[in-house]
Amino acid sequence: MPVPSTIDHRARGYSLDLAYWLAQASDLAYKDEATIEKQAHQWGFGPVRHHHTRFTPPFPLEDTQAYTAASDDMIIVAFRGTEPAQIRDWLSDATTPPWTGPARTGYVHYGFAQALESVFPTVKDTLQEFRTNGQSLFFTGHSLGGALAMLAAARLYLEDPELLADGVYTYGQPRTCDRLLAAAYNKGFKQRMFRFVNNNDIVPQLPPEPAFTHVETLRYLDSSGRLREQTSHIGGLTDRVKGYTADAFAPAADGVRDHSIRKYIGALEKNLA
């Protein structure tokens, strides 16, 4: 099938076309506000709201950013990611303090939860303002942005206003929570959550199990770029990394190169060609 020329605002179920466009929306989250607004309008969206919170030291991140774009038929909330080196300590540490999950369901990675907490109230308020026509709702993000997208959707679903998103598409998302929250999420988001992993991407292999686990469903892009649909393990990698070192986060390492959002978009384009 050809690469779609525009996003289908009436799409609701899973499709490769939608996965491609939500990857583009995740990439757009890395851009400045003027670029985001210009592109969103070209894609057929009207109002765009930016969510931005800055942190003070010693918090390891400078800020958290996201945007919400709405049309008459669709709303997309896209969270900006970050370089693996910036969250390497978070990714390699399985002993972070527990953060109680949404509706007191399980536990969430402390750093990811704290980053989301800084922008979640404005995201929630914006959805209440923009979602006046029963529009479909999609969350998306790459890297850390994928973690925040998954957790934001979980909070909206399990807490007030108990809003179940039509889809959550993440790219290179790290593990975010314990098995209890993952089980509740998998039940609620069956055929709605799609977690894309590109080949040797290091970030989805961390933080380490068993303290943290992944949510389903996996869409794995193999070394040739072919999309494989699975619900748990990645080929022979068993969705985990063993004996990794700081070298795994080197810019030239396979795991870091495969983590780029442009790699995800390129692979999805090949599957649409």
Side-chain angles (χ1 to χ4, degrees):
M1 66 184 77
V3 176
S5 60
T6 186
I7 186 170
D8 180 4
H9 287 230
R10 295 188 177 182
R12 288 184 180 264
Y14 172 80
S15 72
L16 195 54
D17 283 9
L18 185 57
Y20 168 80
W21 277 106
L22 290 175
Q24 292 282 15
S26 295
D27 184 38
L28 185 61
Y30 285 98
K31 308 301 191 294
D32 62 82
E33 292 186 1
T35 301
I36 291 172
E37 292 179 17
K38 179 179 179 180
Q39 186 61 75
H41 294 157
Q42 290 176 353
W43 288 346
F45 292 94
V48 176
R49 183 71 48 80
H50 301 279
H51 316 287
H52 188 190
T53 299
R54 292 194 177 277
F55 300 111
T56 56
F59 198 79
L61 297 179
E62 291 183 359
D63 55 14
T64 298
Q65 293 188 34
Y67 69 88
T68 300
S71 72
D72 290 341
D73 298 300
M74 171 184 274
I75 296 176
I76 293 176
V77 182
F79 289 84
R80 190 190 69 176
T82 189
E83 294 296 326
Q86 291 181 274
I87 56 172
R88 178 172 59 190
D89 291 343
W90 284 2
L91 294 175
S92 59
D93 186 6
T95 63
T96 58
W99 183 295
T100 303
R104 307 193 68 80
T105 306
Y107 291 93
V108 175
H109 184 284
Y110 186 88
F112 301 153
Q114 193 172 10
L116 175 63
E117 182 69 22
S118 68
V119 296
F120 184 78
T122 65
V123 170
K124 180 179 175 181
D125 289 346
T126 298
L127 289 177
Q128 291 176 334
E129 177 184 346
F130 284 0
R131 198 167 186 264
T132 58
N133 193 40
Q135 300 101 312
S136 63
L137 172 61
F138 291 89
F139 286 87
T140 191
H142 166 253
S143 189
L144 170 64
L148 302 184
M150 175 256 153
L151 293 173
R155 286 190 62 172
L156 281 175
Y157 170 60
L158 294 171
E159 298 178 352
D160 180 66
E162 298 184 354
L163 174 61
L164 178 61
D166 294 271
V168 183
Y169 289 62
T170 68
Y171 308 87
Q173 172 197 324
R175 296 185 180 101
T176 62
C177 60
D178 70 348
R179 295 186 182 279
L180 185 60
L181 178 56
Y185 194 92
N186 292 337
K187 181 179 179 180
F189 284 84
K190 187 176 180 62
Q191 297 303 314
R192 294 172 186 258
M193 171 72 203
F194 302 97
R195 183 174 59 82
F196 287 79
V197 173
N198 182 41
N199 197 25
N200 291 321
D201 188 347
I202 185 66
V203 173
Q205 302 178 53
L206 298 165
E209 292 182 316
F212 299 98
T213 192
H214 267 308
V215 295
E216 297 175 345
T217 298
L218 175 65
R219 295 290 184 265
Y220 178 59
L221 295 156
D222 66 18
S223 58
S224 66
R226 180 184 176 186
L227 183 64
R228 300 179 181 273
E229 299 185 2
Q230 297 171 283
T231 57
S232 56
H233 299 315
I234 303 176
L237 297 180
T238 63
D239 203 9
R240 72 186 67 187
V241 62
K242 295 180 179 179
Y244 67 91
T245 67
D247 292 338
F249 293 91
D254 288 344
V256 172
R257 288 201 304 267
D258 287 346
H259 183 62
S260 166
I261 184 59
R262 300 309 305 175
K263 290 279 190 178
Y264 280 86
I265 291 173
L268 289 169
E269 285 178 344
K270 288 182 180 179
N271 284 272
L272 286 165

